[in-house]
Amino acid sequence: MSGQIRVLLVEDHDLVRAGIRSLLQNLPRIEVVAEAGTGREASHLAEIHRPDVMLMDIVLPDANGLEVAATLIKLYPDTRVIILSMHSNEEYVWQALHAGASGYLLKNSSTSELEVAIHAVARGESYLSPPVSTHLVHDFTRRARGEPSSLEGLTARQREILALIARGYSTQQIASELSVSPKTVETHRRQLMQRLDIYDIAGLVRYAIHTGLLLPGE
């Protein structure tokens, strides 16, 4: 690709977005054409600017960044999407790739890596942060060998709580269902999130479906 790489930056935290914008403005051949803080704004600005690359936060206040990305990729196939995330968990990465993202970049990546990622996807290539690639290879190898999934590393009680969370139960409802205190539920939920490296309900639901703990539509 010759000329400027036109970037749409999608990040809901103002200070984080300003920091990323500042980094991008100092990189050659990269131009930030617009910024969005929500999924709705991203959709509107993508239609107006038709950017070459979208840097898309995985968590947005009004939508799931992966779902927004999947929709925009179908609408604008010439636009490449790089998912921005704090998490290297393989479930997030598989979901991002399934949505059609060309890249997955961790938010603690260096400026040089950000530049490399943008140029790579603009050329039609894919880019995954090294820790993400490592997790993905390990996960693929584990599955190919038929080794236990991360689900099997959870306690029976954590699996119960995960299943109830995925079904939409509140902390109080889970406590009542299992005859334990809400504090105990919160402790188990925190531990299973740390174990799975998944920190939002939507991600837990996808994980529960992916592992067969919850059937789609259940």
Side-chain angles (χ1 to χ4, degrees), residues 52-218:
D52 301 308
V53 175
M54 276 194 295
L55 285 175
M56 175 80 70
D57 190 359
I58 202 170
V59 178
L60 298 172
D62 65 336
N64 181 310
L66 295 177
E67 294 175 357
V68 175
T71 298
L72 295 180
I73 289 168
K74 290 179 181 178
L75 290 174
Y76 314 113
D78 291 334
T79 295
R80 305 291 179 175
V81 173
I82 299 175
I83 294 296
L84 293 172
S85 176
M86 294 175 60
H87 309 297
S88 59
N89 180 276
E90 60 268 18
E91 297 302 328
Y92 282 118
V93 184
W94 286 122
Q95 288 289 332
L97 297 177
H98 181 70
S102 299
Y104 193 100
L105 194 66
L106 297 179
K107 287 188 176 181
N108 61 359
S109 300
S110 66
T111 303
S112 59
E113 186 179 351
L114 175 62
E115 181 179 14
V116 168
I118 291 175
H119 281 275
V121 301
R123 291 193 301 266
E125 301 171 6
S126 298
Y127 186 88
L128 301 177
S129 288
V132 170
S133 299
T134 300
H135 277 283
L136 214 59
V137 170
H138 286 171
D139 182 57
F140 178 81
T141 302
R142 175 179 54 74
R143 296 184 189 196
R145 292 175 177 173
E147 295 177 2
S149 69
S150 53
L151 178 64
E152 295 177 43
L154 300 179
T155 66
R157 180 47 56 89
Q158 287 172 344
R159 289 193 205 184
E160 287 179 315
I161 291 176
L162 173 59
L164 293 173
I165 289 173
R167 290 179 172 86
Y169 281 56
S170 68
T171 297
Q172 189 60 53
Q173 289 173 323
I174 295 173
S176 177
E177 179 77 15
L178 300 179
S179 300
V180 297
S181 70
K183 184 177 181 179
T184 297
V185 174
E186 289 294 340
T187 298
H188 282 300
R189 179 162 66 174
R190 183 173 63 254
Q191 290 173 344
L192 75 87
M193 283 182 165
Q194 291 172 344
R195 168 66 180 170
L196 299 176
D197 192 25
I198 300 175
Y199 298 91
D200 63 280
I201 300 303
L204 290 176
V205 172
R206 288 193 301 271
Y207 179 83
I209 293 175
H210 179 76
T211 57
L213 190 63
L214 179 71
L215 297 177
E218 186 176 344

